[in-house]
Amino acid sequence: MPDLTAVKTALGAQRIEVPSWAFGNTGTRFKVFAQPGVPRTVQEKIGDAAQVHRYTGVAPTVAVHIPWDAVDDYAALAAYAKERGVAIGTVNANVFQDDDYKLGSVANPDPAVRAKAVAHLVECVDIMDATGSADLKLWFADGTNYPGQDDIAARQDRLAAALAEVYARLAPAQRMLLEYKLFEPSFYTTDVPDWGTSLLHCQALGPQAAVVVDTGHHAPGTNIEFIVALLLRAGRLGGFDFNSRFYADDDLMVGAADPFQLFRILHEVVKADAIRPAAGVAFMLDQCHNIEPKIPGQIRSVLNVQEATAKALLVDAAALAAAQQSGDVLEANAVLMDAYNTDVRPLLAGLREDMGLDPDPVAAYHRSGYGDKIAAERIGGTQAGWGS
Ligand code: LRH
Ligand code: MN
């Protein structure tokens, strides 16, 4: 059986990054339901993100999205975050909301549009220099809607050229994380639709490029942990955008739709000894709390990742290997299910007490009255959202 002290140490060292945009209003093409107390500024988003770290102890960084979180002084923004016990994390570029990008950004047939997109991506690296962020995360909505609309290979050439230009701008300690997505908003081809396409571009660029696995970006039935195992084996798993889905890119709370899948994914990460931050796998949440309160939703999401990680750390690796070696199919499956069926909540509650935190972060947050305070204070102004 795994050593519980080692398991708690690993859980205490895990770091989960929250996305600034989870605190803004989000929805679907049908409706965005505004909520009381939603931030109007990036500073208020950071204040809300700091609440997640305050009660979980494992979420000390906030991913930003440019221009949703654009400010005049990024060094000052980093200082603002520091004063609240967090730091600016991954910088997400946005080349999917400008009218010029209708036919694509870096893969657009028009070289002027491509140049505009590359300029934005490079600007995001400048921002990383100011905030001290290590990772530039790139997701491209680029693609086509009809066969014949554009040349698939030519778009890959344009994409590769743009990525190489941005890659050359990275400082030695900085990384480019390339996220893939099967479809939406493009509905015939997407220029980075799957892990293989992202990996090919990353390998062509160099060692500072790695793949991001957004758990909502696959075709139904995709074995995501297989992809994770492959990327870990290739040393190119840069990180996760955690969320969950029943159908498409639903961006629901991680682990809500399929906690067993999340466990299987983290089992592969644990086996590769890649839970520890030094392994270079960024654990990020990428979610939208369309109808539920956003800060408790983020806290719950961090707990869901912790619980799945704890179960994965409790897998009896020796017993599993023995059963696998001897071809004892049922025993091998049973060893894994024993860990998955273990109630790890007492273990995590104990860890929080060891960290000087309340064993029940969601309840502690509600008792703080922070939610009521911001609902009362944040009157007027324009609530944050995706602005699309
Ligand atoms: C695209 C995506 C990407 C982000 C956006 C907020 O669907 O997953 O990671 O830029 O959501
Ligand atoms: Mn994502």
Side-chain angles (χ1 to χ4, degrees):
M1 269 307 282
D3 161 34
L4 286 187
T5 309
V7 168
K8 287 175 89 171
T9 303
L11 289 166
Q14 185 174 36
R15 293 292 173 266
I16 299 161
E17 183 164 285
V18 299
S20 66
W21 55 96
F23 302 101
N25 284 325
T26 53
T28 70
R29 58 184 165 176
F30 301 104
K31 174 68 176 171
V32 171
F33 294 99
Q35 294 188 21
V38 157
R40 286 80 50 92
T41 64
V42 60
Q43 287 80 7
E44 289 180 345
K45 293 178 193 176
I46 289 172
D48 293 357
Q51 294 296 306
V52 179
H53 185 48
R54 178 174 174 187
Y55 294 103
T56 66
V58 295
T61 58
V62 189
V64 294
H65 218 296
I66 309 299
W68 297 340
D69 300 317
V71 293
D72 300 335
D73 185 339
Y74 287 97
L77 187 69
Y80 182 92
K82 192 162 189 291
E83 286 154 21
R84 285 154 186 75
V86 292
I88 304 297
T90 307
V91 173
N92 287 261
N94 181 336
V95 286
F96 54 85
Q97 286 188 313
D98 189 298
D99 291 341
D100 288 339
Y101 299 143
K102 184 172 73 174
L103 300 179
S105 63
V106 293
N108 193 295
D110 180 343
V113 174
R114 298 200 296 272
K116 174 180 177 173
V118 168
H120 170 71
L121 305 182
V122 169
E123 180 209 350
C124 287
V125 182
D126 299 340
I127 292 169
M128 291 162 64
D129 292 344
T131 59
S133 300
D135 292 345
L136 171 69
K137 182 150 83 72
L138 303 180
W139 169 71
F140 297 105
D142 289 46
T144 64
N145 276 359
Y146 297 97
Q149 173 185 331
D150 199 350
D151 184 276
I152 293 171
R155 292 180 71 92
Q156 291 299 311
D157 295 341
R158 299 164 198 158
L159 169 64
L163 292 174
E165 207 175 323
V166 180
Y167 187 89
R169 168 66 187 78
L170 294 176
Q174 295 174 332
R175 298 192 303 173
M176 175 187 285
L177 302 183
L178 183 56
E179 182 177 358
Y180 60 86
K181 181 175 180 178
L182 182 64
F183 80 103
E184 189 207 35
S186 299
F187 296 106
Y188 169 53
T189 67
T190 292
D191 294 307
V192 187
D194 55 29
W195 65 272
T197 306
S198 177
L199 182 60
L200 283 174
H201 283 288
C202 289
Q203 290 174 328
L205 289 162
Q208 292 169 257
V211 180
V212 165
V213 175
D214 183 311
T215 46
H217 286 187
H218 305 82
T222 299
N223 187 322
I224 299 175
E225 61 269 25
F226 181 89
I227 297 169
V228 169
L230 245 62
L231 293 172
L232 284 164
R233 186 169 172 275
R236 292 287 180 158
L237 177 63
F240 291 98
D241 264 9
F242 277 138
N243 49 65
S244 71
R245 48 67 143 326
F246 289 104
Y247 304 103
D249 191 15
D250 307 352
D251 280 340
L252 299 172
M253 289 191 295
V254 59
D258 191 344
F260 186 41
Q261 180 188 61
L262 182 61
F263 162 76
R264 300 193 311 265
I265 289 170
L266 287 163
H267 172 56
E268 294 304 327
V269 178
V270 166
K271 276 193 300 123
D273 186 24
I275 294 291
R276 58 198 167 82
V281 175
F283 297 96
M284 302 169 281
L285 301 180
D286 179 6
Q287 298 173 179
C288 298
H289 301 288
N290 298 346
I291 58 175
E292 70 271 23
K294 301 168 189 296
I295 300 170
Q298 284 286 293
I299 294 174
R300 179 68 256 172
S301 301
V302 169
L303 303 189
N304 286 356
V305 174
Q306 286 188 301
E307 289 173 16
T309 305
K311 291 171 185 260
L313 288 164
L314 288 174
V315 172
D316 185 334
L320 182 62
Q324 290 171 339
Q325 286 314 313
S326 64
D328 188 340
V329 174
L330 289 177
E331 178 55 18
N333 177 251
V335 170
L336 207 67
M337 295 313 290
D338 284 349
Y340 178 66
N341 293 323
T342 301
D343 183 355
V344 294
R345 293 171 293 183
L347 174 80
L348 285 164
L351 170 69
R352 295 183 190 110
E353 284 167 340
D354 297 350
M355 295 166 77
L357 300 170
D358 189 290
D360 183 342
V362 173
Y365 169 76
H366 285 306
R367 274 199 307 279
S368 77
Y370 181 88
D372 300 334
K373 182 169 79 69
I374 57 176
E377 286 171 358
R378 296 177 181 172
I379 305 300
T382 305
Q383 292 189 324
W386 283 32
S388 58

